[in-house]
Amino acid sequence: PFVVFDLSTSFWGGAKQWGYENYVELSKRINKDGRLGIVLIGVVGNYNKASYIECDYDLVGQLGLLDTGVLLSRAALFIGHEGVIAHMVQALEELPHVVLYGCAKPECLNDTSLPTWHGIVSPAVCAGCRHTYAAGNTINCKRGHQCMDMITVDMVWEKYLEVVKKLI
């Protein structure tokens, strides 16, 4: 069994992306826990850091959408930011997923009633600004997208433990 990390870059930049260093730390904890392997995926530009995350398979930049769908259908868990791949996970309906939200409101984009959905919304006061203040348009964040920085590794780790406890 394995967890999939989505390391995709985003058109929205820091407003949706969780810091790479966070994935490095999370992978250390998951590897130490030993219950799930780690597979890295994502569509990225000049991204060469993925090899520094201890993982079983680094498939960053190597899969098309169909291959990604097949891989996700065999995963035990998905962790990543709100975006195209998170939407694919939602379409599977049976894959537990931890989705991270900064500028987006989960209820505007995802089916939060699914028992497999385990969202983490930034504690920033401006979280969800894309749907609250920008009416779904691109946002020019005056706070430097601190919303995603406020989602800590501890927050995701606790959610991971909660979900894995139900799986294994």
Side-chain angles (χ1 to χ4, degrees):
F2 59 92
V3 58
V4 173
F5 286 0
D6 176 12
L7 301 180
S8 294
T9 54
S10 170
F11 166 78
W12 297 89
K16 285 193 175 188
Q17 287 174 250
W18 200 43
Y20 175 79
E21 313 77 37
N22 295 326
Y23 283 107
V24 171
E25 178 58 32
L26 183 62
S27 69
K28 289 177 185 176
R29 294 181 190 191
I30 290 173
N31 283 324
K32 187 175 180 183
D33 177 59
R35 289 184 269 187
L36 295 179
I38 299 172
V39 176
L40 307 178
I41 65 169
V43 180
V44 293
N46 296 322
Y47 200 85
N48 59 8
K49 294 181 182 179
S51 62
Y52 295 110
I53 293 176
E54 282 188 46
C55 64
D56 297 282
Y57 294 99
D58 177 357
L59 300 174
V60 173
Q62 298 180 43
L63 302 177
L65 287 177
L66 291 175
D67 293 328
T68 299
V70 170
L71 177 72
L72 291 170
S73 73
R74 296 172 186 213
L77 176 64
F78 168 85
I79 298 174
H81 63 275
E82 188 284 316
V84 171
I85 296 177
H87 293 291
M88 290 176 69
V89 170
Q90 283 257 305
L92 292 170
E93 293 186 356
E94 294 182 11
L95 174 61
H97 45 289
V98 176
V99 182
L100 314 177
Y101 300 88
C103 70
K105 284 186 173 182
E107 61 273 14
C108 292
L109 297 167
N110 297 118
D111 184 352
T112 58
S113 70
L114 286 175
T116 53
W117 179 82
H118 303 277
I120 299 177
V121 179
S122 172
V125 296
C126 55
C129 63
R130 175 179 168 216
H131 298 110
T132 305
Y133 309 112
N137 297 315
T138 302
I139 56 166
N140 294 318
C141 181
K142 294 179 177 148
R143 295 185 172 101
H145 307 296
Q146 293 174 351
C147 55
M148 290 304 285
D149 294 336
M150 294 175 78
I151 298 175
T152 66
V153 175
D154 287 338
M155 292 165 71
V156 178
W157 175 244
E158 289 301 317
K159 192 64 75 173
Y160 166 86
L161 290 174
E162 175 187 319
V163 174
V164 169
K165 187 167 125 180
K166 295 175 187 174
L167 294 175
I168 299 174

